[in-house]
Amino acid sequence: MSLDGLVIEDFRCVARAELELDSRCNLISGANASGKTSLLEAIFVLGRGRSFRTARTEILIRSGADAFTLAGKVAGAGRIRPLGLRLGRDGMEARVSGRPVNGLAELATVLPAQAIDPEVHRLVEGGPQERRRFVDWGVFHVEPSFVDHWRRYQRALRQRNAALRTRQPASVVRAWDPELIEAGRLVADFRGRYMEQLVPHVAAVGSRLLGEPVEIALNQGWPAERTLEEATTQSWVRDAERGLTHSGPHRADITVRFSGAAARDRVSRGQQKLAAASLLLGQLRCDAEQGSDVAALLVDDPAAELDSSNLERLLAEVVSLPAQLFVTALDPQNPSLEHLPAGRRFHVEHGTVTRLL
């Protein structure tokens, strides 16, 4: 898989850009606030239906415009698949090969995109939602049926929580328990099997980036010594009092540790960045080993928070991956960037993109 072409209209500060991309490596340079990160963000949105920078997709529309449009050509398996996405004030529309998608998850099957940006440290120091999303993205790419079970679980959880909030009788609330428990157990099983495959890859990448393994472990969202059914029954009184379901995979989290301590407690932001990068790069290696499509790896300003030796280690790890690379830099002459494969070079200034090579 590779993104061969990209057209951007009215996205962030970019009025229009049309790029022919290299299947291996694309370096995008420009000053701060020039629009180079917006190019990476556009690729991510095209592949995920959301941004890695903000949850407010409406602010991605260029000032003065009514909508943004993204279009790409994804080559792989001997064919080219057009991919398009439009977001206007009336909502989002996405298409693959000319037909509407069944859900935004379908975009990721065509253009799997992962990003390492200057805020990547949030993966280790932020809340559990980021880490659940990280795991579920990986599970989805090796177990496509996972998303159906997750949606089943989410529907049952919403209905159960609504009944709890409105103080419905116990019989009404607990009528949702069988569906919640069955779907929740399947979600947790998928996650657990995936984590078994992921752990050694993250540890190995951590060793190369930080000099020692990065250790990750899954907290499934209820006590390990109990079944989900037992945990749901035991938490009934608290659920009823607080109007919220307290046990289940929606409460899952991942612990991230190295040097015998939680990564979120490390003082150095650079260490946190490398620990988070170990998770993401380990995941790409794990997914590739299990047959997933080659991903588009977006690396935004890798020099931020890193000295030259750490930057070189990070880029060496990035280059060794079977991924299509998109890298931004303030200075395209940075010696560390010499390790990047030959490919296309672009320069961005005030939202205008110029191809250099």
Side-chain angles (χ1 to χ4, degrees), residues 43-64:
I43 295 169
F44 193 90
V45 171
L46 186 59
R48 295 279 198 106
R50 65 175 183 86
S51 168
F52 61 79
R53 299 169 70 188
T54 178
R56 298 175 56 207
T57 52
E58 69 277 5
I59 70 172
L60 304 178
I61 301 172
R62 189 171 66 90
S63 178

Side-chain angles (χ1 to χ4, degrees), residues 29 35 77 96 188 224:
S29 62
V96 173

Side-chain angles (χ1 to χ4, degrees), residues 150-185:
W150 179 238
R151 286 170 178 164
R152 281 180 59 208
Y153 179 78
Q154 286 290 318
R155 283 194 296 268
L157 180 65
R158 284 194 298 269
Q159 294 293 339
R160 190 179 195 270
N161 281 344
L164 283 166
R165 286 193 302 271
T166 55
R167 305 299 177 184
Q168 296 294 313
S171 59
V172 175
V173 176
R174 306 205 66 178
W176 292 101
D177 286 6
E179 177 75 355
L180 185 88
I181 292 166
E182 180 185 1
R185 179 182 55 79

Side-chain angles (χ1 to χ4, degrees), residues 127-129 131-136 150 153 184 187-196 198-199 215-228 231 238 246-257 264:
Q129 182 177 356
R131 291 182 288 277
R132 284 195 297 270
R133 182 181 289 160
F134 157 76
V135 172
D136 290 348
W150 179 238
Y153 179 78
V187 166
D189 287 348
F190 275 121
R191 286 175 174 170
R193 289 196 296 270
Y194 177 71
M195 284 290 292
E196 290 177 1
L198 179 63
V199 164
E215 303 170 350
I216 57 173
L218 176 67
N219 176 341
Q220 63 184 355
W222 69 92
E225 67 274 9
R226 299 191 183 99
T227 66
L228 180 53
R238 183 169 58 159
H246 287 84
S247 296
H250 64 289
R251 302 294 298 272
D253 197 1
I254 297 173
T255 59
V256 185
R257 299 174 63 85
R264 68 194 314 168

Side-chain angles (χ1 to χ4, degrees), residues 48-299:
R48 295 279 198 106
R50 65 175 183 86
S51 168
F52 61 79
R53 299 169 70 188
T54 178
R56 298 175 56 207
T57 52
E58 69 277 5
I59 70 172
L60 304 178
I61 301 172
R62 189 171 66 90
S63 178
D66 294 324
F68 74 70
T69 303
L70 306 173
K73 296 184 296 182
V74 179
R79 60 175 176 164
I80 295 178
R81 303 178 71 182
L83 186 65
L85 185 146
R86 178 187 182 277
L87 176 71
R89 309 300 177 185
D90 55 347
M92 181 179 290
E93 177 186 7
R95 291 178 175 269
V96 173
S97 299
R99 61 170 182 77
V101 300
N102 295 322
L104 292 179
E106 187 176 347
L107 296 174
T109 65
V110 181
L111 181 61
Q114 189 59 276
I116 298 176
D117 73 314
E119 299 298 313
V120 71
H121 59 87
R122 293 178 301 185
L123 185 57
V124 297
E125 74 166 10
Q129 182 177 356
E130 289 287 335
R131 291 182 288 277
R132 284 195 297 270
R133 182 181 289 160
F134 157 76
V135 172
D136 290 348
W137 190 83
V139 178
F140 167 71
H141 280 284
V142 299
E143 295 282 1
S145 64
F146 168 79
V147 71
D148 293 329
H149 299 299
W150 179 238
R151 286 170 178 164
R152 281 180 59 208
Y153 179 78
Q154 286 290 318
R155 283 194 296 268
L157 180 65
R158 284 194 298 269
Q159 294 293 339
R160 190 179 195 270
N161 281 344
L164 283 166
R165 286 193 302 271
T166 55
R167 305 299 177 184
Q168 296 294 313
S171 59
V172 175
V173 176
R174 306 205 66 178
W176 292 101
D177 286 6
E179 177 75 355
L180 185 88
I181 292 166
E182 180 185 1
R185 179 182 55 79
L186 290 169
V187 166
D189 287 348
F190 275 121
R191 286 175 174 170
R193 289 196 296 270
Y194 177 71
M195 284 290 292
E196 290 177 1
Q197 303 297 319
L198 179 63
V199 164
H201 289 282
V202 172
V205 175
S207 293
R208 292 190 288 271
L209 294 184
L210 288 156
E212 56 189 287
V214 171
E215 303 170 350
I216 57 173
L218 176 67
N219 176 341
Q220 63 184 355
W222 69 92
E225 67 274 9
R226 299 191 183 99
T227 66
L228 180 53
E229 183 175 10
E230 291 169 342
T232 301
T233 298
Q234 188 171 55
S235 67
W236 165 249
V237 172
R238 183 169 58 159
D239 291 356
E241 288 177 349
R242 300 186 182 181
L244 188 68
T245 301
H246 287 84
S247 296
H250 64 289
R251 302 294 298 272
D253 197 1
I254 297 173
T255 59
V256 185
R257 299 174 63 85
F258 70 97
S259 293
R264 68 194 314 168
D265 297 331
R266 309 306 297 186
V267 174
S268 165
R269 183 59 57 82
Q271 285 182 315
Q272 289 185 345
K273 179 174 181 175
L274 291 177
S278 298
L279 269 69
L280 295 172
L281 300 177
Q283 182 177 73
L284 291 177
R285 288 192 177 280
C286 178
D287 295 356
E289 183 180 87
Q290 297 185 59
S292 292
D293 288 334
V294 172
L297 177 57
L298 319 174
V299 186

Side-chain angles (χ1 to χ4, degrees), residues 320-333:
S320 70
L321 284 165
Q324 183 183 19
L325 305 178
F326 297 86
V327 182
T328 68
L330 289 171
D331 178 13
Q333 304 304 318

